[in-house]
Amino acid sequence: MLFNVRNFVNVAKLTGIRKQLLRQFWSGPPAQMSVHLKGRDLLTLQNYTADELKHLLWMASDLKQRIKHKGEYLPLMQGKSLAMIFEKRSTRTRLSAETGFALLGGHPSFLTTQDIHLGINESLTDTARVLSRMTNAVLARVYKHNDLDLMAKEATIPVINGLSDLYHPLQILADYLTLQEHYGGLNGLTITWIGDGNNVLHSIMTSAAKLGMHLRIATPRGFEPDLRITKITEQNSKEYGTKLLLTTDPLEAADSANVLVTDTWISMGQEEEKKERLKAFKGYQITMQTAKYAASNWTFLHCLPRKPEEVDDEVFYSPQSLVFQEAENRKWTIMAVMVSLLTDYSPQLQKPTF
């Protein structure tokens, strides 16, 4: 997988400056806030500081409390539209974005490969510029992360990663909100990943240490996370004083874990590798035997859809499984992202403990 971290960071910085200047031109100076995310892209959690991640989770908690529990109507997206570009099928990402944006009074427009072919019928550059004139934000679920980089560079509106081959930031925000709700905080938790070194893991790796969480990763040989992201993770762990373990032994990784996490072993586009992958991941199924090595307060997460070879029914449907709360929180966290990137709204709820 080709990925130049230095160039990516430079592009992200230049894009952010460009959008900040454009926003100030039209709307004047931004409001004085400790965290101000309006106009930003969300392509990877690596580009967000610890305070910015906490702000997004605080925003999600606030919206969930006010809308779901208090029954308030907050038309924060009224008059705004969202372009949703999906090269890959989806249940949770599509539903959470569509229903969440509409619940806030906005208009989401869903575009599949039958409606728009990124870089085929029209260049990515032209697509980004057209969408910037017709909508207020773009959420794109794509095969190639480089496509998101180019869109963000050319667009004058926020571009949000709904999933790419490299990252899945929206999923991890939902995971963190779920853990914060369950444990009352994130700092000091140990997350254990048992499975493929994929995009979901990459998003955990680039953010967990910023929130004070330790990370233990077990992947089969040949299925490790991207080396460049591993180096970033090692730097983050050192900077924030957290522990990091990479191993091929699932039980070693599970030792003293508060959170057991896995995901599909065969991502979309890898179907031809199914036989090889099932063989390589033998012994990586999460079971109650795995959980015996974890901490007494262990919980289980999975981004769904789940297959039995990844985790057995006893764990998946156990009281320790938070997967359906996790799925619901996809909605509240994506709403938090939209509100943060498109408005000056500040959470009214007291800031949770992280």
Side-chain angles (χ1 to χ4, degrees):
M1 182 187 300
L2 296 177
F3 179 62
N4 189 312
V5 174
R6 180 175 298 174
N7 287 345
F8 177 79
V9 172
N10 289 337
V11 168
K13 288 180 179 178
L14 290 172
T15 302
I17 292 171
R18 178 186 178 191
K19 292 180 180 177
Q20 177 76 6
L21 291 174
L22 185 66
R23 182 174 67 248
Q24 291 186 17
F25 178 80
W26 286 109
S27 305
Q32 294 301 313
M33 298 171 60
S34 57
V35 173
H36 190 91
L37 300 177
K38 187 177 180 182
R40 290 269 299 272
D41 299 314
L42 178 59
L43 304 184
T44 166
L45 300 182
Q46 173 61 19
N47 292 340
Y48 278 64
T49 66
D51 285 342
E52 289 169 344
L53 292 174
K54 292 175 183 177
H55 182 83
L56 288 173
L57 296 174
W58 180 18
M59 182 73 78
S61 295
D62 177 86
L63 295 174
K64 187 174 183 179
Q65 176 68 20
R66 294 191 66 186
I67 296 173
K68 179 180 179 180
H69 298 296
K70 292 186 177 181
E72 296 183 39
Y73 177 55
L74 301 177
L76 298 171
M77 294 296 109
Q78 187 170 1
K80 299 184 186 300
S81 57
L82 172 69
M84 299 172 56
I85 301 173
F86 279 54
E87 291 186 326
K88 292 186 174 186
R89 62 184 182 274
S90 167
T91 299
R92 280 148 293 277
T93 302
R94 178 180 178 179
L95 276 176
S96 60
E98 276 193 325
T99 61
F101 202 76
L103 185 59
L104 293 168
H107 179 76
S109 297
F110 182 71
L111 301 168
T112 70
T113 54
Q114 302 302 313
D115 306 299
I116 185 171
H117 294 99
L118 289 179
I120 299 177
N121 293 335
E122 186 173 29
S123 72
L124 280 168
T125 295
D126 292 356
T127 297
R129 293 179 180 182
V130 169
L131 292 177
S132 295
R133 291 172 177 268
M134 292 188 177
T135 65
N136 299 96
V138 176
L139 185 148
R141 186 176 175 94
V142 300
Y143 283 98
K144 299 177 182 178
H145 190 85
N146 288 341
D147 288 349
L148 288 174
D149 289 339
L150 181 56
M151 288 186 69
K153 178 183 177 182
E154 297 297 336
T156 55
I157 57 176
V159 175
I160 300 163
N161 181 359
L163 178 144
S164 69
D165 58 350
L166 204 56
Y167 296 113
H168 197 357
L170 295 177
Q171 176 62 54
I172 303 313
L173 289 175
D175 289 6
Y176 291 164
L177 178 62
T178 304
L179 296 177
Q180 195 281 329
E181 290 174 338
H182 181 82
Y183 289 105
L186 300 175
N187 187 55
L189 291 179
T190 295
I191 298 178
T192 287
W193 175 275
I194 298 175
D196 190 20
N198 64 12
N199 51 2
V200 176
L201 174 59
H202 289 164
S203 286
I204 297 176
M205 292 174 69
T206 54
S207 58
K210 297 177 186 179
L211 299 172
M213 291 182 282
H214 310 293
L215 192 53
R216 301 172 71 87
I217 301 168
T219 58
R221 287 184 178 85
F223 297 90
E224 298 89 351
D226 185 280
L227 181 58
R228 286 165 285 270
I229 293 174
T230 298
K231 290 181 178 179
I232 291 173
T233 307
E234 291 172 344
Q235 293 169 358
N236 286 346
S237 183
K238 183 177 181 180
E239 178 181 351
Y240 293 95
T242 60
K243 299 176 183 177
L244 173 65
L245 171 73
L246 291 96
T247 180
T248 58
D249 184 348
L251 298 183
E252 180 185 12
D255 184 43
S256 303
N258 303 110
V259 190
L260 298 174
V261 193
T262 192
D263 185 22
T264 182
W265 298 343
I266 307 163
S267 297
M268 282 178 277
Q270 298 175 336
E271 289 80 7
E272 293 182 0
E273 305 172 23
K274 181 175 181 179
K275 186 175 180 180
E276 174 193 353
R277 283 178 167 268
L278 289 177
K279 182 179 179 180
F281 283 89
K282 185 176 181 181
Y284 276 75
Q285 183 191 47
I286 295 181
T287 67
M288 283 298 180
Q289 182 63 31
T290 315
K292 287 181 180 179
Y293 289 80
S296 58
N297 65 343
W298 69 274
T299 54
F300 174 75
L301 296 178
H302 192 301
C303 68
L304 305 179
R306 159 259 185 179
K307 297 180 178 62
E309 60 264 23
E310 300 153 4
V311 54
D312 68 8
D313 285 355
E314 190 176 8
V315 170
F316 187 77
Y317 293 109
S318 70
Q320 290 84 1
S321 177
L322 304 179
V323 296
F324 297 110
Q325 179 183 345
E326 176 189 12
E328 179 196 345
N329 280 337
R330 289 292 308 276
K331 179 173 182 174
W332 302 110
T333 47
I334 200 169
M335 289 167 66
V337 169
M338 301 298 182
V339 171
S340 298
L341 302 189
L342 293 175
T343 78
D344 293 312
Y345 173 82
S346 296
Q348 306 300 303
L349 182 73
Q350 183 176 352
K351 190 173 184 178
T353 300
F354 294 105

